[in-house]
Amino acid sequence: MQNILFDFISKYISLTEDEKNAILSLDLFRSIKKGTILLKEGQKSKDEYFVLKGCIRKYYLTDGEEKTTAFFTEMEGLTPHCAISKTPSEYYISCIEDTILLVSNSDMGIEINSKFPKFELMCRILSEELLAKQQIDFDEFKTSSPEQRYLNLLQKRPDLIQRVPQHQLASFLGIKPQSLSRLRARILEKKI
Amino acid sequence: MQNILFDFISKYISLTEDEKNAILSLDLFRSIKKGTILLKEGQKSKDEYFVLKGCIRKYYLTDGEEKTTAFFTEMEGLTPHCAISKTPSEYYISCIEDTILLVSNSDMGIEINSKFPKFELMCRILSEELLAKQQIDFDEFKTSSPEQRYLNLLQKRPDLIQRVPQHQLASFLGIKPQSLSRLRARILEKKI
DNA sequence: AAAACTCGTTCACTTAAGTTAAGTAATTCA
DNA sequence: TGAATTACTTAACTTAAGTGAACGAGTTTT
């Protein structure tokens, strides 16, 4: 598991053995059971998550209805808004599979960044990359129809469609579960 | 104009006179005329933009149709995807008003970041903040209807609705100009 | 000044998503 | 194992967005 992490980091910066040990000594690895809720609406948490294996899901609960807006799988990180703004969380985060996470918090972030300035660099690059990727995703979402979004997802993240419940996928695509069912039926009909 | 910049920076880090002079010596300020295209599809530019005054717009051109996905106004920055990924740009950026910009490029970024490590910190904080904000925006977009999005924009960015042409606003809201017209008429009718 | 163009709106029509309800399959739980 | 719950699909109906066309107001071009 540790190797997976260091392989990932090595894409951005090179670490000495000392630095690797410093990271390991922080003891960030967590095994989480499917269904566990990591963050609830209203909570003030400083925790940040990085998925090594499994899948976590971000969702809002409005009028008793869950609205899933994001999934994070292998090698994807999530810094909840509440950890940055220090306000209560507006959303929930839960594990939809048994998951292995890195859980760090902003205080540790500050500590390790001041000890190892390299980290600051990696964090900047990572969040700039993520920001750019996110903007592309947002652009694609805005400029396409639900059907196009589904077909696009089928191309880019076929795994998600397999591992995630349909009703959670639906709100991720910005539609209702019934519409997703219908849309899938429509696509199948076209193919025949 | 310089004071506006330093006031903004002072929210994140404190600068010495030397550092301020180093920034000014880079000569980043640009006055751009309304209608100027800063970046075209297919171009490989390393330029990044920060709006001091005015408004710039990001849009895709598909099948001869412009699809506007973002506006950037005072104190908002845009690092085009092509500047990070070093691939040709998929979109256009143009000024929709006479605009004063800071234009920097990634090479300068590397130079200044290595001279002043403080900058690395500010850039990380800025892009993390922006990422979190962007995620909230994306979530809101996903979980709301075109009408709700319009009403939401009316609350949060009433200036945009004034300063931006309707047909550009429409694609920003993920709909066609005709639908925006109809939607506005519908809202007015409800109020009466 | 007339012609051409752009922009916003409206209309009629088509298509697809939202809503409500019902039914079936699959999973969880007692 | 049987009951309860949850997940997914289908259907009928409603509502809203997409489409193509037309119009007038305001600009720009020639």
Side-chain angles (χ1 to χ4, degrees):
Chain A
M1 212 71 252
Q2 293 149 21
N3 289 333
I4 296 180
L5 172 62
F6 291 132
D7 284 353
F8 177 80
I9 293 177
S10 72
K11 288 184 209 158
Y12 299 92
I13 52 174
S14 55
L15 292 179
T16 65
E17 283 305 313
D18 274 0
E19 288 163 340
K20 287 186 184 179
N21 288 330
I23 292 171
L24 292 177
S25 74
L26 291 170
D27 187 33
L28 304 174
F29 295 83
R30 297 280 180 279
S31 278
I32 317 274
K33 272 239 159 349
K34 176 176 173 171
T36 306
I37 295 180
L38 298 167
L39 177 68
K40 288 186 184 179
E41 186 184 350
Q43 262 181 240
K44 284 186 185 179
S45 162
K46 289 185 181 178
D47 287 350
E48 308 174 4
Y49 311 97
F50 185 85
V51 179
L52 289 166
K53 192 168 183 342
C55 183
I56 62 179
R57 160 185 162 244
K58 168 176 156 185
Y59 63 97
Y60 293 76
L61 197 57
T62 45
D63 312 321
E65 195 187 359
E66 285 185 7
K67 297 193 170 179
T68 300
T69 55
F71 300 101
F72 300 85
T73 59
E74 286 75 16
M75 299 304 119
E76 293 182 336
L78 166 57
T79 300
H81 188 248
C82 66
I84 296 170
S85 65
K86 285 152 191 173
T87 54
S89 179
E90 310 93 62
Y91 49 79
Y92 294 77
I93 298 170
S94 79
C95 293
I96 63 171
E97 297 173 0
D98 289 345
T99 298
I100 300 171
L101 290 177
L102 287 179
V103 181
S104 61
N105 72 46
S106 347
D107 301 332
M108 278 152 85
I110 290 165
E111 193 191 318
I112 201 162
N113 277 332
S114 62
K115 263 191 206 156
F116 306 109
K118 270 184 212 175
F119 255 76
E120 190 73 46
L121 173 65
M122 182 178 75
C123 290
R124 179 181 62 84
I125 294 175
L126 273 174
S127 59
E128 278 182 5
E129 275 188 6
L130 200 57
L131 180 62
K133 188 184 164 296
Q134 176 97 7
Q135 276 173 356
I136 299 281
D137 286 347
F138 198 174
D139 290 349
E140 279 177 353
F141 194 94
K142 275 188 182 173
T143 58
S144 57
S145 67
E147 185 171 326
Q148 288 172 317
R149 281 173 218 153
Y150 176 79
L151 291 169
N152 191 29
L153 195 67
L154 207 55
Q155 291 276 329
K156 292 197 177 173
R157 298 292 311 268
D159 60 305
L160 265 192
I161 295 177
Q162 296 307 316
R163 69 206 283 195
V164 158
Q166 296 295 310
H167 66 282
Q168 291 173 12
L169 255 191
S171 52
F172 181 68
L173 293 170
I175 56 176
K176 303 286 163 188
Q178 297 91 321
S179 297
L180 179 53
S181 264
R182 179 167 41 195
L183 180 158
R184 281 155 63 95
R186 201 164 61 219
I187 289 170
L188 276 176
E189 215 168 73
K190 281 183 195 169
K191 278 189 185 167
I192 299 163
Chain B
M1 213 68 252
Q2 295 151 16
N3 289 332
I4 296 180
L5 171 63
F6 291 132
D7 284 352
F8 177 80
I9 292 176
S10 72
K11 288 185 206 158
Y12 299 91
I13 53 174
S14 55
L15 293 179
T16 64
E17 283 304 313
D18 273 0
E19 287 162 340
K20 287 186 184 179
N21 287 330
I23 292 171
L24 292 178
S25 73
L26 291 170
D27 187 32
L28 304 173
F29 296 84
R30 296 282 179 279
S31 277
I32 318 274
K33 270 243 158 348
K34 175 176 175 173
T36 306
I37 295 181
L38 298 168
L39 177 68
K40 288 187 185 179
E41 187 184 350
Q43 263 183 238
K44 283 186 184 179
S45 162
K46 290 185 179 177
D47 287 350
E48 309 173 4
Y49 311 96
F50 185 84
V51 179
L52 289 166
K53 190 160 184 349
C55 183
I56 63 179
R57 158 185 165 245
K58 168 177 157 185
Y59 63 99
Y60 294 76
L61 197 57
T62 45
D63 312 320
E65 195 187 359
E66 286 186 6
K67 296 192 171 178
T68 300
T69 56
F71 300 102
F72 300 86
T73 59
E74 287 74 17
M75 298 304 117
E76 294 181 335
L78 166 57
T79 300
H81 187 249
C82 65
I84 295 170
S85 65
K86 285 152 192 170
T87 54
S89 179
E90 309 95 63
Y91 49 78
Y92 294 78
I93 298 170
S94 79
C95 292
I96 62 171
E97 296 174 0
D98 287 346
T99 299
I100 301 170
L101 291 177
L102 287 179
V103 181
S104 60
N105 72 46
S106 343
D107 301 331
M108 278 152 83
I110 289 165
E111 192 191 318
I112 202 163
N113 277 332
S114 62
K115 261 192 207 157
F116 306 109
K118 267 184 211 175
F119 255 77
E120 191 72 47
L121 173 65
M122 182 178 77
C123 291
R124 179 181 61 83
I125 295 175
L126 273 174
S127 60
E128 279 182 4
E129 275 187 5
L130 200 57
L131 180 62
K133 189 184 163 296
Q134 177 99 5
Q135 276 173 355
I136 299 281
D137 286 347
F138 198 174
D139 290 348
E140 279 177 354
F141 194 94
K142 275 188 180 170
T143 58
S144 56
S145 66
E147 184 171 327
Q148 287 172 317
R149 281 174 219 152
Y150 177 78
L151 291 170
N152 190 29
L153 195 67
L154 208 54
Q155 291 277 328
K156 293 196 174 171
R157 298 291 313 266
D159 60 306
L160 265 193
I161 296 177
Q162 296 307 317
R163 69 206 282 193
V164 159
Q166 295 296 307
H167 66 282
Q168 292 174 9
L169 253 191
S171 52
F172 180 68
L173 293 169
I175 55 177
K176 302 287 164 191
Q178 297 93 318
S179 297
L180 179 55
S181 263
R182 180 168 40 196
L183 181 159
R184 282 155 61 95
R186 201 164 61 219
I187 289 170
L188 276 175
E189 215 168 72
K190 281 184 194 166
K191 280 189 183 166
I192 297 164

